[in-house]
Amino acid sequence: QVQLVESGGGLVQAGGSLRLSCAASGRFVSISVMGWYRQAPGKQRELVATLSSGGSSSYGDFLEGRFTISRDNAKNTVSLQMNSLKPEDTALYYCKATTRYANYWGQGTQVTVSS
C-alpha cells in the first residue's frame, strides 16, 4: 500500500508560480512512476507530468514548457514547479504513484489561478 499526501496548492494570479509536492509513504518495494494529473470541473482527468525512477518524463501537450517535474527517489517525493500559470490551469491536482502491482492516488490539492 502507498499513501500519497499532496501539498502546495493555493490561489495565485495569472502569470504567477506555484510548487506542488507529493510524499509517498507506506509499505512498498519501489515506485516506478510518480506524476501529476489534474481535473477541472466538468472535464476529464488529464495528464500533467510523470517521471519514472529512471528519469524518463512525459508532459501534457498543453504545458508549452511552463511546468517542470522533479523527483527524489530516495525520499519518495515528487514535485511540480508551475510557472506562467493561466486561469485555465485551475483544477484539482492529483499525485499518482505506480508500483509493480497497482496505481495509487492522492486526495488532490486545489490550484486556482485568477485572471
Side-chain angles (χ1 to χ4, degrees), residues 34-73:
M34 297 189 77
W36 295 92
Y37 291 72
R38 71 184 188 185
Q39 187 166 18
K43 295 187 177 181
Q44 290 187 332
R45 191 172 297 188
E46 62 180 352
L47 165 72
V48 178
T50 62
L51 184 58
S52 73
S53 56
S56 297
S57 62
S58 63
Y59 290 90
D61 292 338
F62 57 87
L63 287 179
E64 303 171 332
R66 298 181 294 121
F67 296 3
T68 303
I69 190 170
S70 60
R71 179 174 172 177
D72 186 328
N73 291 329

Side-chain angles (χ1 to χ4, degrees), residues 92-111:
L92 192 59
Y93 283 70
Y94 294 93
C95 178
K96 179 184 177 183
T98 300
T99 69
R100 179 179 180 182
Y101 303 103
N103 294 314
Y104 300 89
W105 293 89
Q107 293 297 309
T109 184
Q110 179 67 39
V111 171

Side-chain angles (χ1 to χ4, degrees), residues 11-90:
L11 173 64
V12 65
Q13 288 188 333
S17 298
L18 281 175
R19 184 176 181 86
L20 305 183
S21 296
C22 173
S25 62
R27 299 184 66 178
F28 53 89
V29 175
S30 65
I31 298 175
S32 57
V33 180
M34 297 189 77
W36 295 92
Y37 291 72
R38 71 184 188 185
Q39 187 166 18
K43 295 187 177 181
Q44 290 187 332
R45 191 172 297 188
E46 62 180 352
L47 165 72
V48 178
T50 62
L51 184 58
S52 73
S53 56
S56 297
S57 62
S58 63
Y59 290 90
D61 292 338
F62 57 87
L63 287 179
E64 303 171 332
R66 298 181 294 121
F67 296 3
T68 303
I69 190 170
S70 60
R71 179 174 172 177
D72 186 328
N73 291 329
K75 295 181 179 179
N76 291 309
T77 59
V78 64
S79 297
L80 184 70
Q81 178 66 41
M82 305 186 295
N83 299 325
S84 302
L85 284 161
K86 304 176 181 180
E88 50 264 43
D89 293 319
T90 295

